[in-house]
Amino acid sequence: MGCCDVILKAILIITNVVVMVAGGVLLVAGGIFYAKQFDFFPDLEKYSTNVNSVLIPMMVIGAILFLVGTIGCCGAVTGKSGLLNVYFIIVLVVVILELVVIILGVVKKKDFVDTTEKFAQELFEEYKTVYVGETGTMADDRTLAVNTAQQLFECCGLTDGPSYWQTAGNTKVPPGCCSDWDGKDMDDALVDCTAENLGDVYDIGCTEQVKGLADEFGTVIIIVIVVVIVFEMICLAAACYSKKNDMVA
């Protein structure tokens, strides 16, 4: 076995061990949390549908990664063409899907941004109408979504910061605008952050904040995706080469 063979096998083995371990961690962690989530965090029970919609895909992705990593690792170690063929096809499909997503992301970027902004505007305006204007009602999951978004992105209101909410004589803001909000206390839909010891109020609107983050991390994300695809192509080449030199059925 030449130096090139050793290097390519090492790349395949190391890469797929990492993938297998990552998949195993996602699968086990997701399974444990899925089974015991309300024991760990009782307050999550009323949001069980939202939590499960994250945990189930997490476990599925973990299982897929674990399976792919196992196939790739066993194929690299044994040199069996059958395993390497399966591994090659799976990785090739993943690369094609990634390229399709990138192309769609470029082509449909404006449509995606417009749809997202429209949805966010409807959600925030509904919150404003119900809790500031005191008109109508709003589902708990949508109320939570507005506050979670503000907490996650460290912003307040759709635009213009706290002043977005402070209309019609209202001086309060949703708890998600407060820097020390714990993400759980939804007793009051509007609060005074300072008076209720919830920290400072975020002073930037969510639209401005998200656009700023997109500009800041957009290039980094593109570079990471390109590096991942290049590495996957190397794995494909390594699998092809290993299969060619170790034709064991």
Side-chain angles (χ1 to χ4, degrees), residues 20-229:
M20 188 169 59
V21 170
V25 169
L26 284 176
L27 183 59
V28 172
I32 292 174
F33 197 77
Y34 182 78
K36 300 289 186 179
Q37 56 185 287
F38 304 136
D39 293 340
F40 298 149
F41 304 102
D43 293 335
L44 286 177
E45 189 163 7
K46 58 184 175 181
Y47 307 116
S48 59
T49 302
N50 296 333
V51 173
N52 291 341
S53 67
V54 173
L55 292 177
I56 293 174
M58 175 180 167
M59 289 187 287
V60 171
I61 292 171
I64 293 172
L65 288 176
F66 185 80
L67 181 61
V68 172
T70 301
I71 293 172
C73 196
C74 292
V77 171
T78 63
K80 289 186 178 295
S81 59
L83 290 172
L84 290 171
N85 281 335
V86 173
Y87 176 74
F88 181 88
I89 292 170
I90 293 173
V91 176
L92 181 61
V93 169
V94 170
V95 171
I96 292 173
L97 289 175
E98 287 172 342
L99 292 174
V100 169
V101 169
I102 291 173
I103 293 170
L104 288 175
V106 173
V107 174
K108 298 289 187 179
K109 179 182 177 182
K110 187 177 185 306
D111 292 340
F112 175 76
V113 171
D114 290 345
T115 301
T116 303
E117 288 182 349
K118 181 181 178 182
F119 174 75
Q121 184 173 6
E122 290 175 352
L123 198 62
F124 275 69
E125 285 296 327
E126 181 183 0
Y127 195 104
K128 192 173 183 179
T129 300
V130 172
Y131 296 115
V132 177
E134 298 182 348
T135 304
T137 59
M138 188 173 187
D140 289 344
D141 58 340
R142 293 172 68 82
T143 299
L144 180 65
V146 171
N147 284 285
T148 301
Q150 292 177 120
Q151 182 192 41
L152 178 65
F153 293 107
E154 298 184 352
C155 56
C156 188
L158 191 61
T159 57
D160 304 322
S163 60
Y164 175 84
W165 302 110
Q166 294 169 344
T167 59
N170 174 60
T171 59
K172 297 182 178 181
V173 296
C177 289
C178 307
S179 60
D180 292 341
W181 181 55
D182 60 8
K184 295 183 292 184
D185 184 5
M186 289 295 300
D187 292 338
D188 297 310
L190 295 170
V191 299
D192 183 328
C193 297
T194 304
E196 298 183 38
N197 296 319
L198 291 174
D200 299 323
V201 181
Y202 298 127
D203 59 1
I204 186 171
C206 292
T207 299
E208 300 96 300
Q209 182 78 317
V210 171
K211 285 182 177 178
L213 290 172
D215 293 339
E216 183 178 351
F217 294 106
T219 303
V220 175
I221 292 172
I222 291 172
I223 292 173
V224 169
I225 291 173
V226 170
V227 169
V228 168
I229 291 176

